[in-house]
Amino acid sequence: MKLFDPTTAAAARALTLARRPASLAGLGLGLVDNTKFNSDTLLRELAERLAARHHMTVSVTNRKRSPSHEIDGAGITALRAQADLVISGIGD
């Protein structure tokens, strides 16, 4: 019997983190809904809490066609132009 082992060694690579704002106060929030069940509910609740605590406002929302699809070019352009911070939601 032949067995296939699908595991591989972890690939090491350099990682650069995005700059973090000094404060969340008044920032424009971008939301990406991945269309999973409850993703929209989770994002809406999170946005409400951020608004109450940090006076953030939702400046742009993007809804993906499905969890496996990427955001289209126009959506990325809108997020870059209108949002200071982007949260991509999951659900389930």
Side-chain angles (χ1 to χ4, degrees):
M1 175 189 311
K2 285 188 175 186
L3 295 177
F4 175 72
D5 181 2
T7 60
T8 62
R13 63 184 175 115
L15 179 65
T16 304
L17 298 176
R19 277 186 302 126
R20 295 176 184 251
S23 170
L24 297 178
L27 295 181
L29 183 60
L31 303 176
V32 177
D33 177 354
N34 70 357
T35 68
K36 282 191 172 186
F37 184 70
N38 285 331
S39 176
D40 56 342
T41 304
L42 174 72
L43 288 171
R44 186 174 45 253
E45 179 67 28
L46 183 56
E48 288 173 6
R49 290 181 184 204
L50 288 168
R53 184 175 291 171
H54 301 286
H55 306 288
M56 296 178 78
T57 57
V58 175
S59 56
V60 62
T61 300
N62 188 295
R63 183 171 170 87
K64 294 169 54 172
R65 289 187 297 161
S66 76
S68 63
H69 283 90
E70 68 281 350
I71 302 169
D72 63 21
I76 291 172
T77 299
L79 288 166
R80 284 184 174 157
Q82 299 174 36
D84 300 302
L85 178 75
V86 176
I87 298 175
S88 178
I90 60 169
D92 294 339

